[in-house]
Amino acid sequence: MAESEAETPSTPGEFESKYFEFHGVRLPPFCRGKMEEIANFPVRPSDVWIVTYPKSGTSLLQEVVYLVSQGADPDEIGLMNIDEQLPVLEYPQPGLDIIKELTSPRLIKSHLPYRFLPSDLHNGDSKVIYMARNPKDLVVSYYQFHRSLRTMSYRGTFQEFCRRFMNDKLGYGSWFEHVQEFWEHRMDSNVLFLKYEDMHRDLVTMVEQLARFLGVSCDKAQLESLTEHCHQLVDQCCNAEALPVGRGMCPCPPTARLLTASAWEPRALVPFPAGVLMLSGPLPSCQCFTALHLLSPEPSAL
């Protein structure tokens, strides 16, 4: 499996190390030299995998999944380091060797595209929970993340960042391809495709979906208690986030901004610059996105 250097990020100091490209997808430097081992990672039938594109509500989803699968209490989760309970497959810590030895049932996270995940996952050997987030909010959160993280210290404009997002110049490659791959597998028996916005719009249904998918049996009273605990987690996470639900802190004036949390559905996800993302529901009026033709039916060349 060949790996090749990607071009150096154009903004000085954006990264201390270069990205690298693996089969045409830009990945963080800590993935270098590990992709073949990841492909051959031994998967267990009892595993539960949480997969997202970065900034798609991963932290919130992992706590809800942990609560549903383990029957834990929100207060108890607040006292523990949940990241230690749900390691990220490709991260340097704790590392693949440690994850291989964890006791079952393992809960494992990843941001990798579907095609780069362990081959055993493609054969339906364990459960995969995928959550997608509306790109209008995701890209704002990703921008703030790049600006706040010391190793990235991104100092470009939001418009420049959107251009990088649309040209697949960020870690983990194209959001459009990432979501499209999992959307195409949403009917697989071992895959549950969720949307971040539904967690806020209809948490009861999502908890029921998770419980059913994970094989957790509970009566009406237990389900109500479980949902109430999940509501507490959602409220805690939202209060801790810098970005309000459904409204990213984009540089455009408030009157020019419409970042809705309404339901959306991929109709046609085609990699830029050749295509567009079509969403159901109202289109955003945010000038940053319309200027860059993120949702334009006839995108201009970037």
Side-chain angles (χ1 to χ4, degrees):
M1 294 185 174
E3 297 176 358
S4 63
E5 290 289 346
E7 61 178 321
T8 304
S10 60
T11 306
E14 182 181 353
F15 278 98
E16 295 176 2
S17 302
K18 297 178 181 179
Y19 285 118
F20 77 101
E21 287 188 0
F22 179 76
H23 289 230
V25 177
R26 179 169 287 204
L27 294 174
F30 50 75
C31 292
R32 187 190 306 277
K34 299 166 61 175
M35 299 309 294
E36 185 171 356
E37 186 178 2
I38 286 175
N40 296 319
F41 182 86
V43 171
R44 304 173 193 167
S46 59
D47 287 345
V48 175
W49 293 70
I50 296 174
V51 186
T52 61
Y53 190 85
K55 313 313 293 180
S56 297
T58 316
S59 297
L60 178 54
L61 178 62
Q62 72 177 13
E63 298 206 20
V64 173
V65 169
Y66 188 85
L67 177 61
V68 173
S69 63
Q70 306 295 319
D73 185 274
D75 294 333
E76 177 185 329
I77 292 180
L79 297 175
M80 65 192 299
N81 186 345
I82 196 70
D83 287 326
E84 293 182 356
Q85 309 298 320
L86 291 88
V88 179
L89 180 69
E90 65 270 18
Y91 279 12
Q93 300 295 331
L96 293 171
D97 290 339
I98 299 297
I99 298 176
K100 289 177 183 177
E101 301 303 321
L102 293 177
T103 58
S104 296
R106 299 179 301 187
L107 277 72
I108 305 173
K109 295 181 297 184
S110 180
H111 294 308
L112 291 171
Y114 180 86
R115 61 188 182 277
F116 293 163
L117 291 172
S119 56
D120 285 348
L121 281 182
H122 303 161
N123 300 324
D125 286 348
S126 62
K127 297 181 184 299
V128 181
I129 301 170
Y130 184 81
M131 189 157 78
R133 185 181 187 182
N134 191 316
K136 296 176 290 180
D137 291 329
L138 180 148
V139 73
V140 175
S141 181
Y142 213 12
Y143 169 71
Q144 301 289 10
F145 176 74
H146 276 71
R147 287 176 57 85
S148 64
L149 201 63
R150 181 180 59 83
T151 54
M152 295 181 180
S153 62
Y154 180 81
R155 291 298 176 263
T157 66
F158 182 65
Q159 288 82 354
E160 291 168 344
F161 188 83
C162 284
R163 192 174 296 275
R164 298 178 71 86
F165 176 76
M166 292 162 57
N167 282 307
D168 310 336
K169 299 299 183 183
L170 301 176
Y172 295 101
S174 167
W175 176 91
F176 304 91
E177 293 182 2
H178 205 286
V179 174
Q180 180 70 56
E181 287 185 5
F182 278 92
W183 180 254
E184 291 173 353
H185 289 275
R186 69 190 184 282
M187 303 306 294
D188 293 359
S189 60
N190 71 315
V191 174
L192 178 62
F193 189 103
L194 302 174
K195 301 171 189 174
Y196 174 83
E197 292 75 18
D198 289 342
M199 187 172 290
H200 302 278
R201 189 172 63 97
D202 191 357
L203 182 60
V204 174
T205 297
M206 180 171 287
V207 171
E208 291 176 343
Q209 283 182 296
L210 283 169
R212 187 164 53 250
F213 181 72
L214 296 172
V216 176
S217 59
C218 49
D219 56 29
K220 182 177 180 181
Q222 292 172 320
L223 183 61
E224 290 176 351
S225 176
L226 198 57
T227 302
E228 177 57 33
H229 287 333
C230 288
H231 270 299
Q232 294 177 33
L233 286 176
V234 171
D235 291 341
Q236 291 169 11
C237 288
C238 288
N239 290 336
E241 280 190 353
L243 300 177
V245 176
R247 179 175 289 248
M249 298 175 62
C250 100
C252 289
T255 55
R257 186 171 61 217
L258 176 60
L259 301 185
T260 177
S262 62
W264 58 275
E265 179 174 325
R267 294 179 184 167
L269 297 177
V270 185
F272 274 92
V276 296
L277 166 71
M278 297 299 293
L279 301 179
S280 62
L283 298 180
S285 62
C286 172
Q287 293 177 348
C288 293
F289 290 101
T290 54
L292 292 175
H293 303 281
L294 181 60
L295 298 175
S296 169
E298 296 180 357
S300 61
L302 298 176

